[in-house]
Amino acid sequence: MPPNMAGQPSARKKGAPAPIRRDPLAALRMSGMTISKPYLPLEMVAMITDFLDATDMVVFARVSRKMHELIYRDERWVKRLKAMDVWDEGYEARERAKEKAGKQQTRRGSTIDRHLVNGKGRPAPGISINGEAVNVYTSPAPAMNKPVDRFDIINLSEPEAPTGIRTTAETILDIYRNVKSIRTQARQEYGHIYKALNKYYKNVLDAAAPERSLIFASFPNPEERARMFTHVRTFARSDFSPGPKARAEVLQSLINRFGTSALLEFRSGYEYKDIEGRMKQYAQVMYILDGGQTGVNMFLSENKLLAKKSQFGSVTDCVDYSLGYGQLSLERVQAWFDRLGEAYSRESMIIKTVFPHAAKVSLLFLEKIAEEVLAPFLTALFADARTRSTTIYLRVISGSLQSTSKFVQDYALPESADQAIIDRASKALVKLFEPHLQLYLDEELAYFRQQADNENNRWDKNRSDQAVSTEAFLMSGVNRSADKKDFMSSFKKVIMMPVNILPTFGTKASTLKPEIDSMRASRSTSPHPRPTSSALPVSAPTDVLSAKAAIITTRLASMISLMSIEVALNLTSYAKTSLERAAQFIALGGTPGQLARLTCSSIFIALVHALGDRHVHSGFDKAISHLSAYNPRATSTSPTTTAANSVTDQDLFSTTPLTTFLDLVNTADTIHQMLTILFEQEILAFKVCTCDDFTSPILKSKRHFESSLDERVAAGLARGIDVLMEEVEYLCSTLQSPNDFNPIIEVFDADSITSGRANKRLSSFGANDIDISPTAPAVRVIELVGRHISLLQGVTEKTLIDVFISEVSQRLFSALCKHIKRQRISPLGAIRLLSDLTAY
């Protein structure tokens, strides 16, 4: 049967399923005619709840379980604790680990609970009923399943604390110190802080003046009031409700007013010398409020030492007139620092007594004194010293640095000062001397160079004047006009010689023989002065040749004076003084220390140049030039032989040139040792450079000095060996007789020569007539070389002696071989040759 068109449902057949009932509002919802409730995202709800007060958050948590979970999340309360800087999980975990480790080390007993017996409570002794003892079993206390919630026990309508929570003054003052950073306990810890400080926080925001607040009524002590104000200010950082800037301004204005009143009390205590009372008390108050900066600023700006700095004196008080003229005195400068130190020590005692952070205030006070008192005085002192002389200027700056360092060490630095305090005090010193440091270091270097140049110039001038006076004395006995006449006559004779030697009628050739013989005799018997121990002869020579020979001899004798130990001592003394003055600034560190280190390097390099290039090296060069120009034949007579072909002692070659040069080498080695000692005692001691810093200019200049010295010593010894070998060759050529190695000689009969018959007569020697002793040249050469070798013993190093002996041996062997090759040797003469070789 079809359904009713009027909308009536048709009859349901028997057994058919019931039709589905439709929601009558479904169509309305589909058409949008009903309003559904919107749901905010959970993240947005969490962000909104962050701006709620703590009590409002606890109330909001009672709305639903979801809100309860949202509000009671531990991260939300950790965020507020971190805003107050009282949450540190790492520190808390380390402390708990240390505590647990300590308990494990000290535990020695059993781990069984002694209050349990077979799982039941131990009977409590001492309880009796009707005079009979009764065992009363006590069950163990049940564990607390739920931790105490600080907000659960807070009565939101009353500000008083509930029973069981201690809110005494000591607990409130130490509220932040007792906070533990334990996860899942952040809400309870914040609730503890909230209960202790919230009422003071709300009251301060509503108070018109600090003295009308609840803090003033609850805490009569000024230090406790200051601590409560700082606690409330810290607690305000955890209030995330709207308007934090306005609340912070109100709170800070009240704290500033309280700090101003404390500053006035602090100033009054300083003026009336109430050091132990009000000044110390309110310094502590200001330290709690803002770290004590306002009190420190007032103490530094209105300090009595700054107001009375004129009583210490001025630069004019450091001038000493006892010598008849004004001169700056370092003793008077030190007296000025002593007066300043006495006043500074009194103020330093006040700082140590009053301020909790005395070390920091002492450094600030030192910087203030350095800026207001020391800097003007030192600037005026250095300017006055510079106008007087360079020496005084250098002495005053170095002495002022010592006095200032002593002042800081004795009065400013505490006894147990750490490295940070020492570094800051050094920065104050740097600030004082840095404006004058560059000028001082330049003046120091220029002053040493000038002293070194003056010392070398004075030495060179003395040497030059001595040489000129010696030459003038030796040439004073020479008649210039007579020499000129002799030279012109000799020249005329030489010019006319070809004409005069032509044979003329009536002239015999034998008439020239007396003149020639007389010339040879005069040439062979002309005296030649030998070098003696004295620098000048007793009387001046009368001819030019003798005068020139005497000049050469004098130069060789005075070769030892080409170097002076006195000059080296003066130069090293000047360098030591300059180095010690400049090296004081290395301790300042930083840029000033580096500048001082560079100046010390320049001073030592200038010393090496003055000692090496200007003095030692030039002396060796002059000595080598004198040795090169030396001719033994011009300064000594030719050896004369006696009947036995022996040479007298006076004809032995003098060893003065080589002896003098070896003495010069010894002097140079002494100067080198002086330079090495100065390098170790000053450069290395002041840490200007290190021994292993091969790129240092100091080490480069020192190595250059040593290498140049070795080269000149080697060159001088080589020239000395040349002179020695020349004398050996001269002795061999002049003393060696042709009959020494060839005893069989040919003798001609004079009668047979006149008669025209050249009859030759041989003379031979027997075995008894053979001489097997060394020849005279061999004896003299051995004595000569042995004397020179012995001169080196104890004068120089063994390595140099070995090199010298090796070179002399090679050169002597070559000279002897060359000499023997020129000789005619017979079988009988070979015996004497073997004797000579054995002696050699």
Side-chain angles (χ1 to χ4, degrees), residues 88-102 180:
D88 190 355
E89 293 183 60
Y91 174 78
E92 192 71 29
R94 290 190 297 270
E95 292 297 323
R96 287 200 305 272
K98 292 179 181 178
E99 183 179 357
K100 184 177 180 181
K180 294 183 179 181

Coordinates of all heavy atoms in Angstrom, one line a residue, residues 88-102 180:
D88 N 68.4 26.1 39.6 CA 69.6 25.6 39.0 C 69.6 24.1 39.2 O 70.1 23.6 40.3 CB 70.8 26.3 39.6 CG 72.1 25.9 38.8 OD1 72.0 25.1 37.9 OD2 73.2 26.5 39.2
E89 N 69.1 23.4 38.2 CA 69.0 21.9 38.4 C 70.4 21.3 38.4 O 70.6 20.3 39.2 CB 68.2 21.3 37.2 CG 66.8 21.7 37.3 CD 66.0 21.0 36.1 OE1 66.0 19.8 36.1 OE2 65.5 21.7 35.3
G90 N 71.4 21.8 37.6 CA 72.7 21.2 37.6 C 73.4 21.3 39.0 O 74.0 20.3 39.5
Y91 N 73.3 22.5 39.6 CA 74.0 22.7 40.9 C 73.3 21.8 41.9 O 74.0 21.1 42.7 CB 73.9 24.1 41.3 CG 74.3 24.4 42.7 CD1 75.7 24.5 43.0 CD2 73.4 24.6 43.7 CE1 76.1 24.7 44.2 CE2 73.9 24.9 45.0 CZ 75.2 24.9 45.3 OH 75.6 25.2 46.5
E92 N 72.0 21.7 41.9 CA 71.3 20.9 42.9 C 71.6 19.4 42.7 O 71.8 18.7 43.7 CB 69.7 21.1 42.7 CG 68.9 20.5 43.8 CD 69.1 21.3 45.1 OE1 69.4 22.5 45.0 OE2 69.0 20.7 46.2
A93 N 71.7 19.0 41.4 CA 72.0 17.6 41.2 C 73.4 17.2 41.7 O 73.7 16.2 42.3 CB 71.9 17.2 39.7
R94 N 74.4 18.2 41.5 CA 75.7 17.9 42.0 C 75.8 17.9 43.5 O 76.5 17.1 44.1 CB 76.7 19.0 41.5 CG 77.0 18.9 40.0 CD 78.1 19.9 39.6 NE 77.7 21.2 39.8 CZ 77.1 22.0 38.9 NH1 76.8 21.5 37.7 NH2 76.8 23.3 39.2
E95 N 75.0 18.8 44.2 CA 75.0 18.8 45.6 C 74.4 17.5 46.2 O 74.9 16.9 47.1 CB 74.2 20.0 46.1 CG 74.9 21.3 45.9 CD 76.2 21.4 46.6 OE1 76.3 20.9 47.7 OE2 77.2 22.0 46.0
R96 N 73.3 17.0 45.5 CA 72.7 15.8 46.0 C 73.6 14.6 45.8 O 73.7 13.7 46.6 CB 71.4 15.5 45.3 CG 70.3 16.5 45.7 CD 68.9 15.9 45.3 NE 68.8 15.5 43.9 CZ 68.4 16.4 43.0 NH1 68.1 17.6 43.3 NH2 68.4 16.0 41.7
A97 N 74.4 14.6 44.7 CA 75.3 13.5 44.5 C 76.4 13.5 45.5 O 76.8 12.4 46.0 CB 75.9 13.6 43.0
K98 N 76.9 14.7 45.9 CA 78.0 14.8 46.9 C 77.4 14.3 48.2 O 78.1 13.6 49.0 CB 78.5 16.2 47.0 CG 79.3 16.7 45.8 CD 79.7 18.1 46.0 CE 80.5 18.6 44.8 NZ 80.9 20.0 45.0
E99 N 76.2 14.7 48.6 CA 75.6 14.3 49.8 C 75.4 12.8 49.9 O 75.6 12.2 50.9 CB 74.3 15.1 50.0 CG 73.6 14.8 51.3 CD 72.3 15.6 51.5 OE1 72.0 16.4 50.6 OE2 71.6 15.4 52.5
K100 N 74.9 12.2 48.8 CA 74.7 10.8 48.7 C 76.0 10.0 48.9 O 76.1 9.0 49.6 CB 74.0 10.4 47.4 CG 73.6 9.0 47.3 CD 72.8 8.7 46.0 CE 72.5 7.2 45.9 NZ 71.7 7.0 44.6
A101 N 77.0 10.5 48.2 CA 78.3 9.9 48.3 C 78.9 9.9 49.7 O 79.5 9.0 50.2 CB 79.3 10.5 47.3
G102 N 78.7 11.1 50.4 CA 79.1 11.2 51.8 C 78.4 10.2 52.7 O 79.0 9.6 53.6
K180 N 65.0 24.6 46.6 CA 65.7 23.5 46.0 C 65.2 23.3 44.6 O 64.0 23.3 44.3 CB 65.5 22.2 46.9 CG 66.1 22.3 48.2 CD 65.8 21.0 49.0 CE 66.5 21.1 50.4 NZ 66.3 19.8 51.2

